[in-house]
Amino acid sequence: MADGNATPTTNGSGQAGDKRPFERLIHPGGKGKTRNTPKGRQLPPEAQDEIRELLGDRSRQGDMLIEHLHLIQDTYGCIHYRHLHALAEEMRLPMAVAYEVATFYAHFDVIEDGEPAPPPLTIRVCDGIACEMEGAHEILNLLPREVGEHVRVVRAPCVGRCDTAPVAEVGHRFVDRCDVQTLARAAESGEQEPEVPEHIDFDDYVAGGGYTVLRECLNGQRAPDDVVQALSDSKLRGLGGAGFPTGMKWGIVRKQTYPRYVAINADEGEPGTFKDRWVMERDPHRFLEGVLIGCWATDASACYIYLRDEYPQCYEIMERAIERAVAEGLNGTCAVYLRRGAGAYICGEESAMLESIEGKRGLPRHKPPFAAEVGLWGKPTLTNNVETMYWVRDILEQGADWYAGHGRHGRQGLRLFSVSGRVKDPGVKLAPIGITVRELVEEYCGGMQDGQQLKAYLPGGASGGILPESMADIPLDKGTLEEYGCFLGSGAIVVLSDRDDVKAAALNLMRFFEDESCGQCTPCRCGTEKSRKLMERGEWSRDKLGDLSTVMHDASICGLGQAAPNPVDCVFKFFPEDVR
């Protein structure tokens, strides 16, 4: 093409010749038909102007795609095709790439031009296991009639507020322990912005000794090798699920070639888990100090904190915390970025998170190689969970022996347990590693709710399996539950009573996995759907569900598909009387 308006072409007889205006080109095959526009979807100039004005001087790099999609969604309430097209052009990306990313994430509403936009207000009613136990399905059934057509009511996976179930999000404002009437009033009030809880701000944190350890690191009073060794001596493990020794991981990344990155997983989406939210809502700088110590110890050039989109209040808190820390020079030479997820549980998986940070669909990568060697943009990357970083300052300040000195039943350390379900006092409980569920319920949660007896519990959220009351005295730690087909994971304890149906609980979890499967691999994509359909029949087929379980365990790419059958397997194994 010679320029934007004319092109060399042939004349009607096929001979090379003159340049003619594009709009007068004759269609190939020559039947006298003319084309007034170029082929394909046309980009309205006004849409391009709107996107350019919206983006302003923001970066057009490809890794900013999801951030810019959020900007469009927040501004217009949806993402019209014309704006998606303009964004792709502005970022010099194929339209197919922009489309596949925008439609991958649940929180983006992609609307064909000419189609009606969604209502101005959306209410997301959580139907995670804790909320379902408290009547979420009844709310979902009755609420649309109460709020009318001007409000969209949709079901949402676990939103990380299991201790105040049932929960719904009105716009970006959460309503805890809700019912139909309170949600209808909330919709009428017009209040949609997140409610930011009181928390320890920078000045109060520094007054309490905060950032002292980090300053010692930056000033050369501590050596990176000593910090890594202290974490190893403390026996601190990753507390997001995998449980890899923290000191060892830091040491591995530190030895890799430069540049190196840090990626913090704040995308906790496991049903029953809410400890990371609790940390960021109360003591964000303690967590951030641990992050910045990790950046310094690994000599990282940039750090990305990947925060789930269901935590808008945490976004405001962390944005201010990062801005203040950077203004104080506490980031050293490491740039720090806060990135929003967009409603995809799979991005809690390490490699899927990295893909999303790069501006792509959250599809898990094949392993090996692992992120410590080949992470963000193919470079060595330290990945850690919020709670893991929360403990770094205390361990370095009080010594490795202090942390390792806690624990029960021969285990070592402390951790934050998310406890929900049929207990009197649900919430985040700071308790020694190795505590049993029975001890946790009685000593930290005020016991079971009146008139209810412990029947079963989920030791590790949706993917950790289901164990009976007879096994409530097993120490909770990595390595203590695996022989029973379960695991502790992120420490999400959901307590069921004798009034609960374990089959219904397992079905709820399978529906969650079906919704959240990224669809990349057939065993997970098809296995979760087929399992859910078989479970909905009422009478479970041990042979069919067992075959599906084997395939998903053995052939799924990532932990979602591999762990999805755990609850079903546990029902057959530990609750045979419920499936007869």
Side-chain angles (χ1 to χ4, degrees):
M1 184 174 289
D3 57 49
N5 298 312
T7 181
T9 184
T10 62
N11 58 30
S13 62
Q15 298 175 345
D18 58 339
K19 296 180 179 180
R20 295 181 295 174
F22 193 88
E23 65 269 15
R24 297 300 300 168
L25 289 179
I26 298 177
H27 275 269
K31 293 187 178 178
K33 296 181 180 178
T34 60
R35 185 173 68 244
N36 294 324
T37 60
K39 287 184 177 181
R41 183 185 299 273
Q42 303 309 301
L43 175 58
E46 60 273 17
Q48 195 162 29
D49 292 341
E50 290 169 346
I51 292 302
R52 284 176 177 168
E53 182 179 356
L54 187 62
L55 296 186
D57 60 358
R58 293 177 174 86
S59 170
R60 267 62 167 176
Q61 291 183 171
D63 63 293
M64 293 297 293
L65 176 57
I66 295 173
E67 291 295 300
H68 294 341
L69 289 171
H70 275 302
L71 186 61
I72 297 171
Q73 177 83 30
D74 292 343
T75 303
Y76 294 98
C78 63
I79 301 174
H80 292 286
Y81 267 48
R82 62 182 182 274
H83 289 146
L84 187 62
H85 189 180
L87 179 63
E89 290 288 325
E90 191 68 15
M91 299 184 71
R92 301 195 175 192
L93 293 171
M95 178 60 174
V97 171
Y99 179 81
E100 70 178 8
V101 171
T103 54
F104 179 84
Y105 296 94
H107 289 183
F108 295 141
D109 296 309
V110 180
I111 303 297
E112 178 71 67
D113 292 336
E115 291 183 355
L121 176 63
T122 295
I123 298 180
R124 301 179 185 275
V125 180
C126 176
D127 68 348
I129 183 168
C131 288
E132 184 181 84
M133 290 164 65
E134 296 294 341
H137 281 180
E138 182 179 0
I139 294 174
L140 279 165
N141 290 333
L142 299 178
L143 185 59
R145 293 197 295 268
E146 290 291 326
V147 297
E149 296 181 355
H150 65 288
V151 177
R152 179 175 59 164
V153 178
V154 298
R155 56 183 287 266
C158 184
V159 296
R161 305 181 76 88
C162 313
D163 53 330
T164 57
V167 178
E169 186 181 16
V170 180
H172 291 298
R173 180 177 288 257
F174 284 101
V175 180
D176 297 326
R177 300 184 177 88
C178 63
D179 56 30
V180 173
Q181 287 69 37
T182 57
L183 291 177
R185 289 194 295 269
E188 291 177 0
S189 72
E191 295 182 350
Q192 299 185 36
E193 295 306 308
E195 187 174 0
V196 179
E198 291 190 11
H199 53 277
I200 300 173
D201 64 14
F202 180 87
D203 294 330
D204 290 339
Y205 182 68
V206 171
Y211 288 119
T212 299
V213 174
L214 176 59
R215 292 182 192 277
E216 292 173 353
C217 294
L218 296 174
N219 294 336
Q221 295 172 256
R222 293 177 182 264
D225 289 340
D226 294 338
V227 167
V228 170
Q229 188 60 51
L231 294 178
S232 296
D233 293 342
S234 71
K235 311 301 182 186
L236 177 67
R237 290 179 173 269
L239 300 175
F244 194 86
T246 302
M248 182 184 296
K249 181 184 285 188
W250 286 28
I252 292 172
V253 174
R254 180 171 171 74
K255 294 176 182 177
Q256 304 301 311
T257 57
Y258 196 82
R260 294 179 286 271
Y261 298 106
V262 171
I264 303 302
N265 194 338
D267 191 56
E268 62 174 357
E270 185 78 17
T273 305
F274 45 92
K275 62 185 176 63
D276 293 348
R277 171 183 61 81
W278 184 91
V279 166
M280 291 182 283
E281 284 184 342
R282 288 162 176 77
D283 206 351
H285 286 281
R286 187 178 299 269
F287 153 58
L288 185 57
E289 181 171 7
V291 171
L292 296 177
I293 291 172
C295 295
W296 165 82
T298 56
D299 191 20
S301 61
C303 170
Y304 296 84
I305 299 175
Y306 187 84
L307 177 63
R308 73 180 304 201
D309 199 35
E310 288 87 348
Y311 290 170
Q313 74 286 5
C314 293
Y315 189 92
E316 292 194 22
I317 292 171
M318 291 310 306
E319 186 176 43
R320 291 198 294 264
I322 292 170
E323 288 177 354
R324 182 64 186 276
V326 170
E328 297 287 336
L330 294 172
N331 60 313
T333 60
C334 183
V336 182
Y337 304 100
L338 183 62
R339 292 290 176 85
R340 287 170 68 181
Y345 164 74
I346 190 62
C347 290
E349 194 274 339
E350 174 187 78
S351 63
M353 173 188 68
L354 300 180
E355 290 286 299
S356 190
I357 291 173
E358 293 180 5
K360 305 171 186 174
R361 293 176 294 169
L363 301 180
R365 301 173 179 175
H366 291 275
K367 300 176 184 178
F370 296 95
E373 297 175 334
V374 182
L376 283 171
W377 298 286
K379 304 300 181 183
T381 302
L382 173 67
T383 59
N384 272 133
N385 166 261
V386 170
E387 187 193 351
T388 305
M389 292 305 200
Y390 174 81
W391 289 111
V392 169
R393 171 199 161 181
D394 287 337
I395 291 172
L396 298 179
E397 192 173 62
Q398 303 186 56
D401 292 341
W402 166 81
Y403 183 81
H406 292 83
R408 289 191 187 180
H409 306 296
R411 320 306 293 188
Q412 292 179 300
L414 292 164
R415 76 173 303 169
L416 301 172
F417 291 93
S418 307
V419 186
S420 61
R422 306 302 191 186
V423 295
K424 288 183 179 178
D425 183 24
V428 174
K429 310 299 177 182
L430 171 56
I433 292 176
I435 193 171
T436 69
V437 163
R438 200 182 308 278
E439 292 168 339
L440 194 61
V441 169
E442 294 301 325
E443 299 177 29
Y444 290 83
C445 302
M448 296 291 292
Q449 293 177 0
D450 292 339
Q452 303 195 45
Q453 297 180 355
L454 175 63
K455 175 181 179 178
Y457 67 98
L458 281 62
S463 55
I466 306 175
L467 290 172
E469 178 274 338
S470 61
M471 302 175 72
D473 298 308
I474 300 172
L476 296 174
D477 193 12
K478 180 175 176 60
T480 61
L481 302 170
E482 281 76 0
E483 64 179 294
Y484 309 109
C486 300
F487 54 81
L488 182 60
S490 60
I493 313 297
V494 183
V495 179
L496 308 181
S497 77
D498 54 345
R499 299 184 184 180
D500 295 310
D501 181 352
V502 292
K503 285 180 62 179
L507 176 57
N508 173 279
L509 302 177
M510 188 58 73
R511 286 173 177 152
F512 172 82
F513 288 126
E514 180 189 5
D515 287 344
E516 297 297 334
S517 172
C518 74
Q520 180 180 192
C521 68
T522 302
C524 177
R525 181 183 66 251
C526 297
T528 52
E529 179 188 13
K530 183 64 174 178
S531 295
R532 186 263 304 168
K533 290 179 177 178
L534 288 172
M535 295 166 71
E536 286 179 339
R537 294 179 180 177
E539 184 176 345
W540 291 8
S541 169
R542 182 185 295 268
D543 291 339
K544 291 181 180 179
L545 288 169
D547 287 344
L548 287 167
S549 174
T550 299
V551 171
M552 283 191 280
H553 279 306
D554 293 345
S556 295
I557 289 175
C558 79
L560 189 155
Q562 295 164 9
N566 286 348
V568 180
D569 294 344
C570 287
V571 172
F572 280 121
K573 186 185 302 183
F574 301 118
F575 304 92
E577 67 281 358
D578 288 28
V579 290
R580 288 174 183 169

